[in-house]
Amino acid sequence: FFFQAEDGIRDHCVTGVQTCALPISVARDLRTQSQDEVDRGRNGGWQGWNNLPRPVLALNNKNQTGNMMTKILVTGSSGYIGRRTVEQLSAWASHPSQVIEFDLPDGDVLNPDNLDQVFRDNDVNAVLHLAALVSVAEGEESPGSYWATNVQGTVNVCEAMLRNGCHQIVLASSLAAQEPETVYGWTKWGAEQVLKDYADRFGFKATCLRYSNVAGGNHLSTSHLIPNMVRAALDRKPLNVTAPGVCTRDFINVFDVARANMDFCLARLSGFRTYDICSGMPHQIQEVIAVATEVLFNHGLTLETTAAPRRKEPTIIVGNPRQAFLDVNFEAAESSLEAILISAIEEMGASK
């Protein structure tokens, strides 16, 4: 069964047999769009897509063995994105045992015995693989640890799935995997190739979500621009910004990423697929600084920046959210720069 969502609310409900997605205005129109219609909506800007009829997701809560309860293993569950995703999945779940958290120190993707134990103990039938190392600068300094965790760790997860009869996985990847120029980007690309191989050889349902720059909320990272700007303003210290005005990036709110993780995990898409999880709104770094300066000022904070030497990283990293919208109705509804900054100020300021 399906529901009409009210006031733009997106939610999920669970029955004894079926999980039903409630995307925004899900019952507006169920007809299939022609490519011309899609392009006309797209030409109106990303917001133009709001005028397109939305796909309806009928998500079966049965696995192939007839088990009536979907159980999702979340690796990296205590990380920045993992915490938000577990919150989303826990709100969806009809029973706490449906969401299995797996992270250090007790859960290590480089330890196959750890992985086998959690599969045996929990009858896992889907994996959301978030565990990874994510600093571009650190990857250049310590490439071995990045290849081990991001690629071999993914192999270990897939092998544990194979041994335990689980064939569905969603991987947290990055737009940096499109045209890799850094160790981090290459290891994310490598992890995607692992999933493609297991999909081709063993029939895995393997989906790679290529995130743009994730920000918002209480982000503890010291290698990401937006949390560093908020932290500098809160601490009343100047911030060195790498090559302002040169680099172009797409930013997405962590709350939107968590929702994408859940939506794709529940969608059970067949074969191997990649999606850009992004706002579709590229910004030059100088523009980000200008918006941050204004938003911080409105919250009684001052941002002071100085230019730092450019480090090794791509000049432009942007994505296209079109396919994610068409296939599972995902859109980054909370990812304006202002919304991201306000959520960061509120949560990071509260933690001071």
Side-chain angles (χ1 to χ4, degrees), residues 10 88 255-263 330-334:
R10 180 195 301 264
Q88 290 268 353
F255 299 102
D256 283 329
V257 170
R259 192 177 69 252
N261 287 340
M262 180 176 72
D263 288 351
F330 172 75
E331 57 185 335
E334 301 178 61

Side-chain angles (χ1 to χ4, degrees), residues 4-201:
Q4 170 71 46
E6 298 295 333
D7 299 324
I9 296 172
R10 180 195 301 264
D11 200 356
H12 290 76
C13 74
V14 179
T15 71
V17 177
Q18 190 177 55
T19 302
C20 299
L22 309 183
I24 302 170
S25 304
V26 69
R28 181 183 300 161
D29 189 339
L30 306 185
R31 63 190 173 86
T32 303
Q33 292 297 292
S34 70
Q35 186 60 48
D36 286 344
E37 289 173 308
V38 171
D39 289 339
R40 283 201 298 273
R42 184 180 174 192
N43 290 338
W46 303 117
Q47 297 305 315
W49 291 13
N50 292 332
N51 298 321
L52 294 179
R54 309 303 179 99
V56 172
L57 304 179
L59 303 174
N60 195 339
N61 204 32
K62 283 176 133 182
N63 66 12
Q64 293 178 348
T65 63
N67 186 350
M68 296 298 292
M69 184 176 288
T70 298
K71 291 191 175 182
I72 301 170
L73 173 66
V74 183
T75 70
S77 57
S78 64
Y80 169 56
I81 295 172
R83 293 194 310 272
R84 305 295 185 185
T85 302
V86 167
E87 289 173 4
Q88 290 268 353
L89 287 169
S90 297
W92 156 81
S94 60
H95 191 278
S97 66
Q98 286 185 265
V99 183
I100 302 114
E101 299 185 48
F102 186 82
D103 210 340
L104 297 169
D106 298 323
D108 185 356
V109 294
L110 294 181
N111 186 330
D113 292 338
N114 275 181
L115 287 163
D116 277 330
Q117 188 66 49
V118 75
F119 273 91
R120 286 195 300 266
D121 291 348
N122 295 280
D123 192 23
V124 174
N125 43 47
V127 174
L128 181 54
H129 183 33
L130 307 180
L133 298 178
V134 298
S135 169
V136 172
E138 183 183 62
E140 297 304 308
E141 296 171 359
S142 306
S145 60
Y146 273 66
W147 284 103
T149 300
N150 294 358
V151 181
Q152 184 59 51
T154 302
V155 172
N156 291 348
V157 169
C158 289
E159 282 294 299
M161 291 172 61
L162 199 58
R163 288 191 295 270
N164 292 277
C166 176
H167 291 80
Q168 182 191 352
I169 182 170
V170 175
L171 171 72
S173 188
S174 168
L175 291 179
Q178 291 177 333
E179 297 180 7
E181 296 183 27
T182 64
V183 170
Y184 168 68
W186 278 111
T187 60
K188 282 300 187 180
W189 178 87
E192 290 186 1
Q193 300 314 301
V194 172
L195 262 63
K196 184 178 187 304
D197 194 33
Y198 279 75
D200 292 344
R201 293 173 184 270

Side-chain angles (χ1 to χ4, degrees), residues 128 170-174 207-211 260-261 264 274-275 277:
L128 181 54
V170 175
L171 171 72
S173 188
S174 168
T207 299
C208 302
L209 303 183
R210 292 175 168 176
Y211 307 151
N261 287 340
F264 278 94
T274 62
Y275 294 90
I277 304 302

Side-chain angles (χ1 to χ4, degrees), residues 267-322:
R268 302 180 184 279
L269 300 171
S270 62
F272 173 79
R273 302 171 184 235
T274 62
Y275 294 90
D276 294 350
I277 304 302
C278 58
S279 69
M281 298 180 289
H283 302 280
Q284 282 200 336
I285 299 305
Q286 193 63 51
E287 177 191 354
V288 180
I289 294 171
V291 173
T293 300
E294 181 178 354
V295 173
L296 288 163
F297 179 80
N298 292 338
H299 286 75
L301 298 167
T302 301
L303 176 63
E304 179 184 349
T305 63
T306 58
R310 186 180 175 190
R311 64 191 181 192
K312 180 183 178 181
E313 60 181 339
T315 300
I316 300 175
I317 302 180
V318 298
N320 185 340
R322 175 175 177 266

Side-chain angles (χ1 to χ4, degrees), residues 201-244:
R201 293 173 184 270
F202 306 113
F204 276 26
K205 297 176 180 179
T207 299
C208 302
L209 303 183
R210 292 175 168 176
Y211 307 151
S212 60
N213 284 46
V214 185
N218 189 9
H219 197 339
L220 300 179
S221 170
T222 59
S223 63
H224 288 73
L225 176 62
I226 287 180
N228 280 347
M229 289 192 297
V230 174
R231 190 175 296 111
L234 290 168
D235 293 341
R236 303 180 185 278
K237 295 179 179 179
L239 175 67
N240 289 331
V241 179
T242 302

